[in-house]
Amino acid sequence: MKNRVSYTLESTLESVNQVEQKASEVAARAGFGEDEQYQVAMAVREAAGKRFVVAYETTVESLVITITDQGKGLDPESLPDPLAPENLMKGSGRGIFLIRAFMDEVKIRNTNPGTEVTLIKHTGRNAANAKEEEAQ
């Protein structure tokens, strides 16, 4: 079973709040618990920027959220480490770090202009933190 819905929105606080809420709802319908719903919603909030298109897709194996914006682009390799001592007190620079912490897979692609970020959260046995079933 596969289900996909997408939206095109302007970069306003209201639209970012809407996609965050929708991400939480989609994660709940996909069977994720409250903590994982929060993680998915926060990852989506961090990834939303400029005018953007967000697509939510659920499959048997995972929840896939793709966010494409029209910004200047992003090179994730050039981002400063938010855990480095000189960056700990900075108020920005944690978005990609949080996204990677909350999701099982993150793919970032420069679309010139803009960036496409694909967020993947696996369900059930496929989840990154799922425990292996013990043989009986």
Side-chain angles (χ1 to χ4, degrees):
M1 181 182 118
K2 186 172 171 180
N3 184 15
R4 181 179 171 95
V5 62
S6 69
Y7 304 92
T8 301
L9 300 158
E10 296 298 325
S11 181
T12 65
L13 183 57
E14 181 181 342
S15 63
V16 172
N17 288 341
Q18 287 174 344
V19 296
E20 178 184 4
Q21 177 63 36
K22 186 65 173 178
S24 183
E25 291 170 10
V26 172
R29 282 198 307 273
F32 292 105
E34 283 185 35
D35 287 347
E36 291 169 314
Q37 291 170 35
Y38 173 78
Q39 293 172 348
V40 168
M42 289 307 300
V44 168
R45 181 175 199 85
E46 290 294 334
K50 297 288 180 193
R51 180 181 173 152
F52 61 97
V53 176
V54 60
Y56 304 93
E57 182 176 328
T58 54
T59 68
V60 174
E61 295 88 22
S62 56
L63 168 61
V64 180
I65 302 169
T66 305
I67 300 168
T68 307
D69 71 25
Q70 298 176 349
K72 61 182 179 173
L74 170 69
D75 177 11
E77 302 306 317
S78 69
L79 297 174
D81 178 3
L83 298 179
E86 66 273 14
N87 297 328
L88 287 177
M89 300 308 289
K90 290 185 179 176
S92 63
R94 292 178 179 78
I96 296 298
F97 176 80
L98 290 173
I99 290 168
R100 287 180 172 149
F102 291 153
M103 304 304 289
D104 293 326
E105 293 181 55
V106 177
K107 299 174 185 174
I108 301 172
R109 185 172 70 92
N110 196 332
T111 58
N112 257 347
T115 305
E116 178 185 85
V117 180
T118 302
L119 312 172
I120 301 170
K121 190 78 164 170
H122 299 297
T123 58
R125 292 183 53 130
N126 298 319
N129 59 358
K131 298 200 176 14
E132 299 254 345
E133 286 186 16
E134 293 183 27
Q136 301 202 1

